[in-house]
Amino acid sequence: MQSFEIYGGIAGLFDFGPLGAALKNNVEQLWRNHFVLEEDMLEISCTNLTPENVLKASGHVDKFEDFMVKDVKNGQCYRADKILEEHIDKVLAKKAKKMKEEEIKNMELIKAKADSYTQEELSNILKELKVKAPDTGNEIGEPLAFNLMFSTQIGPQSSSKGYFRPETAQSIFVNFKRLLESNNGRMPFSAAQIGLGFRNEISPRAGLLRVREFTMAEIEHFYDPEVKTHPKFDLVKDECLPLLTKEKQIAVESPITSMTIAEAVETGVISNETLAYFMVRTYHFFQAVGIPKEAMRFRQHLDKEMAHYARDCWDCEVETSYGWIEIVGHADRACFDLECHSKSTKTELLGARPLKEPIEVSSTLLLPDKKLLGKSLKKDCKILCDYLDSLDEEQKQAVHKQYEDAETEFNVDCGSKTITVPKDAINIKIDTKTVVEEKFAPHVIEPSFGIGRVIYCIFEHCFRKRPNSETRTYFEFPALIAPVKTSILPLISNNEEQLKCVRDLKSKLNKEGVTSKIDDSSQTVGRRYARTDECGIPFAITIDNDTLKDNTVTLREIHSMLQVRIPIDELSITILELSKGLSTWEDAQKKFPAFVAEKEE
Amino acid sequence: MQSFEIYGGIAGLFDFGPLGAALKNNVEQLWRNHFVLEEDMLEISCTNLTPENVLKASGHVDKFEDFMVKDVKNGQCYRADKILEEHIDKVLAKKAKKMKEEEIKNMELIKAKADSYTQEELSNILKELKVKAPDTGNEIGEPLAFNLMFSTQIGPQSSSKGYFRPETAQSIFVNFKRLLESNNGRMPFSAAQIGLGFRNEISPRAGLLRVREFTMAEIEHFYDPEVKTHPKFDLVKDECLPLLTKEKQIAVESPITSMTIAEAVETGVISNETLAYFMVRTYHFFQAVGIPKEAMRFRQHLDKEMAHYARDCWDCEVETSYGWIEIVGHADRACFDLECHSKSTKTELLGARPLKEPIEVSSTLLLPDKKLLGKSLKKDCKILCDYLDSLDEEQKQAVHKQYEDAETEFNVDCGSKTITVPKDAINIKIDTKTVVEEKFAPHVIEPSFGIGRVIYCIFEHCFRKRPNSETRTYFEFPALIAPVKTSILPLISNNEEQLKCVRDLKSKLNKEGVTSKIDDSSQTVGRRYARTDECGIPFAITIDNDTLKDNTVTLREIHSMLQVRIPIDELSITILELSKGLSTWEDAQKKFPAFVAEKEE
């Protein structure tokens, strides 16, 4: 529902009502189960407020922007690439019949490239095509870069600029050292975070799909680039995903569907096992939340689409009434992010791999006799010592060679000054150590989920109509993520005994892990079933006169609309097993006697 | 852990590492179970970004501020009330022996009132007591009001100022109409939200207790102020809470502990049943997360502490190494919030109660004949009609009376002008309707939890040392909220068969709802148990040679450090029942054979 509706609402901000919020919680919990728990990931939870220097290092302060244009008369702002795309759609819809094939192709190419143009290119194209403000037809101004982050001030001193994070990933990268420690220094490992991201969209559209505040679930899998295998790849290697490769896109063809994941990695279609493994896991996750296989495809980024540091990138797209939309990105980001933060903080962000054989490493120690040096060099002593301290092994070896070649003194070029050093004022030692591991810059695979978009797709793909009825609609959510597992419908009119029975049943179910919603309104049971169905509650329990006698209730399943008579004590286990897919509704129908009610209205 | 540590960190921002994040998720889930599900609340999830007009109406834009003072030399900012309190603590610690009793009392009174002074009062007191900047001893400037909200710009147009919400409550209030609808118009009902709040603290201190970004869990219970009872009050009426009433505080006495909740409501100690009911539920929640009864008290706000609209307010405080700290507020906010938003948006935010007997309500309809009036009044016709439209029932009746008393014409005072109206140009009808319900402004009880503070208290109160060992420490979290339920420790050195067994066991436990963490390092089992204990993992499974033969494992409990031998198929159900408190470790010891291992190191 639109946020702050009674205040007229704000574009791009939406609230989740009771059913949406419950569905969202369940989807997040399933995601956690499917990824974090099943893959032993380190889940962390970091702040949204982020100081400027972190996002400066990551490139967001300088590069995280869209181009906007203003209606010159009323000042309304538009995203330049979006109005360009819309303009082309309109032109093609109107005039395609009269245009040459070449012209049409050219228009389509401009549309495909719309979000990758530079400021100058955009400016020229908008002028050339005479694009106007879509709401008024007024002239538009020059495209201007607009940073998409929400900025704020942290604390009362004016020096601390901060932003609300545009993604959760950066807080995982800056915690890399801690995470590696808590994994006992072992690689590979994955960290994950479910949390908010904020993007100050210029003009948000498309309902829940392009919003200013959204929940993301991101994984950063850190691994040794020299290890080409993923330990669990064997478990998925024979699966076939719908792969819309770069080549297929350029040739305007359908996705490949018959290639196993193992073949895809072997032939280089997908760049490595780890990336491929996560793509399959995403495919499984979407099936578990109710997205049919036919409505999914994995689209590889074209070379010009990818950030310069990315090596391969596959979006999981789902077909919706808005067309195919990106729900999850799977990017091979190489070592880009850790290197940025490492440089910017002068902190070592490396992993270590054991060496096959321990090796001997010698290091040169330059030991100045500061007393002697002080006497002969005076102030230059400090310059020399600082300089010697700053040298790496190779440079130290060069100084060592000079030392050996010299007779009584030798010159050291300290950068700012060349200093003549008496040989007896310096001692040189060679230290030899046995090293069992070597350091390396970890690479990163990043699967990044937009949870709001996942929810949107679930709503679209779980919506059903009853046969022979246009008006009776329901949501057939997988029971595992259904907002509420069962409704409780008392059929007897209000009395104390029944009231207690309903309340006790609800409390018992809750303790046993089954969520429920009571509907004790005075409406007919048929009307109440319909309401249950509209909320996507997969099961419904009725409490009737027999319940008070023999402790049994009826249990109805949403899709079949059939009921069984079941003892209260077996309710929770039955509903839980049905929800987790450990048993089926057919099993329950065999186990418990059918209950035949009057036909639902 | 400190956020953005490699960048030097930011005061008041903390991240949750893997164990903290898992504990936090479990505490939130328990809270949801205990409150939302058990009490059938409507949980929603709203945006953090909030437009200015909403927070203008709620009073936050004008009033949500602290006073700060600056070090005149280095510009460092301090919270004025906090440095006043610290100053008094220092003075009392140093000089109390030399001071008169009256002087001491006066100082203590100033300290107690520190956060309620006006700007002018603060200024005078700081000068009088010669308070200096605590870090440097420099002079401080005048106290200045500093708004604690983080402000930002929504969208590219400069007119849309927004804030990051300081509490989740306001988004519940602005959604009241929708919530009432989704509860089918019935009162009372509760809405709840778990989400973030942001406060731009002037100088954050006390670690996790005073931070700039935090998770809150808030409930707004909307009820009819004429209904004095709570439907579930009977279930809790005999419980005794530790009540530190206003009177006890003024008399510097300990809390009342022997008064039942029913007595407390009857005698007016607690203002109503609903408020009392939620206090008991909070008490139960804290016990479930591992806070001992002795470490809790409910402190009533003193009259001057409360906001002017609040009628009664009780903080649940927990004793920690920082002293007694507020974790949950329980406030009776009357109808303040809904009225603010209703006024500001001209939207009706009311509930309805059924009338005992339907009543007949008549309303007066003033029907001007615009054609006739137009002719005789010209421009005044519109003024008259607009005025008649704006009248309420009572005013309409007054016009009706004038009409009846008049012979051919009568005067209507339209505010800006008195207009003489010909009697035959107005028609008057009395409309009578049967009304079955009447509207009312709902009152609100607000229990508001600081989840970060709850987590902090859990860490303090679940920390244990093994007897006879200073260094072996562990967390005895209630299993229900423990970050991970069990560790899996393979004892055999690496081989394929075992690797598969460990992986299958983990996957099986996960499917059955039991979280686990594998520790297959080469360390001794004793060292690995110690590590498990430090993480507060309540159970540990070892896989040994017998496991591969007979599908049994050992299961160890953290507190007793005792083990049983148990079939793999009974693991999940056993751990889940132990976690939910449906069985005890003693039960498990009776059911399964003891396994006696070598003594742990």
Side-chain angles (χ1 to χ4, degrees), chain B residues 19-196:
Chain B
L19 292 168
L23 183 72
K24 178 165 173 282
N25 283 336
N26 294 343
V27 167
E28 288 178 17
Q29 197 48 51
L30 180 63
W31 191 90
R32 190 168 275 134
N33 238 39
H34 187 83
F35 289 104
V36 177
L37 300 178
E38 190 68 30
E39 309 285 347
D40 247 331
M41 296 177 175
L42 300 170
E43 183 183 354
I44 61 174
S45 177
C46 306
T47 62
N48 292 275
L49 265 167
T50 307
E52 185 170 35
N53 48 5
V54 172
L55 294 162
K56 186 83 190 167
S58 68
H60 286 87
V61 172
D62 297 322
K63 296 276 177 63
F64 192 65
E65 52 194 20
D66 281 339
F67 293 110
M68 69 170 180
V69 289
K70 276 194 187 180
D71 181 321
V72 290
K73 286 200 180 144
N74 69 12
Q76 175 76 34
C77 299
Y78 299 96
R79 236 177 91 172
D81 57 336
K82 290 291 162 198
I83 69 167
L84 175 58
E85 286 173 25
E86 282 170 25
H87 175 83
I88 290 175
D89 283 343
K90 250 191 252 167
V91 169
L92 289 178
K94 261 194 194 167
K95 302 189 187 161
K97 280 182 194 163
K98 294 183 213 156
M99 288 161 78
K100 287 184 202 147
E101 197 175 327
E102 204 175 317
E103 264 182 301
I104 296 178
K105 272 214 168 158
N106 185 37
M107 288 294 248
E108 276 169 352
L109 189 67
I110 293 175
K111 189 184 160 189
K113 282 178 164 180
D115 68 347
S116 59
Y117 285 123
T118 64
Q119 191 161 0
E120 206 189 328
E121 288 169 336
L122 255 179
S123 168
N124 292 336
I125 291 168
L126 288 170
K127 276 178 203 151
E128 207 173 289
L129 298 182
K130 294 180 183 139
V131 178
K132 303 276 187 288
D135 295 329
T136 60
N138 293 336
E139 294 292 324
I140 54 174
E142 283 291 319
L144 301 168
F146 176 72
N147 192 293
L148 298 179
M149 292 194 294
F150 288 99
S151 68
T152 194
Q153 204 60 46
I154 303 178
Q157 257 110 345
S158 55
S159 55
S160 319
K161 192 170 181 181
Y163 295 95
F164 285 82
R165 65 180 178 195
E167 57 176 29
T168 69
Q170 297 307 323
S171 50
I172 297 180
F173 296 132
V174 299
N175 278 311
F176 172 79
K177 260 175 97 90
R178 289 270 199 171
L179 290 165
L180 181 61
E181 263 168 46
S182 83
N183 205 43
N184 302 318
R186 295 210 276 177
M187 297 281 289
F189 71 90
S190 304
Q193 186 169 192
I194 301 178
L196 294 171

Side-chain angles (χ1 to χ4, degrees), chain B residues 332-469:
Chain B
D332 182 342
R333 301 174 64 91
C335 56
F336 177 75
D337 306 277
L338 289 182
E339 278 187 353
C340 285
H341 291 296
S342 176
K343 256 185 221 161
S344 169
T345 60
K346 302 201 169 59
T347 309
E348 189 182 272
L349 300 176
L350 299 177
R353 66 171 77 94
L355 289 167
K356 274 175 205 151
E357 306 267 324
I359 53 169
E360 302 282 304
V361 175
S362 26
S363 53
T364 307
L365 302 179
L366 307 176
L367 306 163
D369 179 334
K370 290 191 183 172
K371 231 178 185 174
L372 269 180
L373 277 179
K375 271 185 201 161
S376 64
L377 298 181
K378 307 268 151 54
K379 286 188 303 184
D380 287 347
C381 171
K382 190 175 180 312
I383 299 177
L384 178 72
C385 292
D386 286 352
Y387 174 72
L388 295 180
D389 265 357
S390 75
L391 300 183
D392 63 23
E393 180 56 26
E394 201 176 327
Q395 293 167 314
K396 284 180 183 168
Q397 284 173 6
V399 173
H400 190 190
K401 190 161 184 309
Q402 273 183 293
Y403 171 91
E404 295 210 316
D405 293 349
E407 282 189 20
T408 57
E409 56 180 36
F410 61 103
N411 288 333
V412 178
D413 177 5
C414 299
S416 60
K417 197 165 191 177
T418 298
I419 296 174
T420 304
V421 186
K423 200 169 166 178
D424 58 0
I426 286 207
N427 226 324
I428 297 193
K429 275 194 192 161
I430 307 292
D431 203 26
T432 307
K433 264 194 260 176
T434 307
V435 173
V436 295
E437 55 177 33
E438 60 179 339
K439 303 231 164 148
F440 65 91
H443 279 212
V444 173
I445 302 284
E446 176 188 87
S448 170
F449 288 66
I451 294 293
R453 292 184 170 198
V454 172
I455 305 284
Y456 178 81
C457 294
I458 292 172
F459 274 114
E460 267 211 16
H461 283 284
C462 294
F463 183 75
R464 305 277 184 277
K465 282 181 181 166
R466 294 279 179 216
N468 314 323
S469 167

Side-chain angles (χ1 to χ4, degrees), chain A residues 400-418:
Chain A
H400 189 190
K401 186 156 188 312
Q402 273 184 295
Y403 170 90
E404 293 209 317
D405 293 346
E407 282 191 18
T408 56
E409 55 181 34
F410 61 103
N411 287 333
V412 177
D413 176 5
C414 298
S416 62
K417 196 167 190 175
T418 297

Side-chain angles (χ1 to χ4, degrees), chain A residues 176-205:
Chain A
F176 172 79
K177 260 175 98 91
R178 289 269 198 171
L179 290 165
L180 181 61
E181 264 167 46
S182 83
N183 204 43
N184 302 318
R186 295 211 276 178
M187 298 280 288
F189 71 90
S190 303
Q193 186 168 193
I194 301 178
L196 295 171
F198 298 85
R199 295 190 189 180
N200 201 359
E201 296 284 350
I202 293 167
S203 60
R205 303 215 174 167

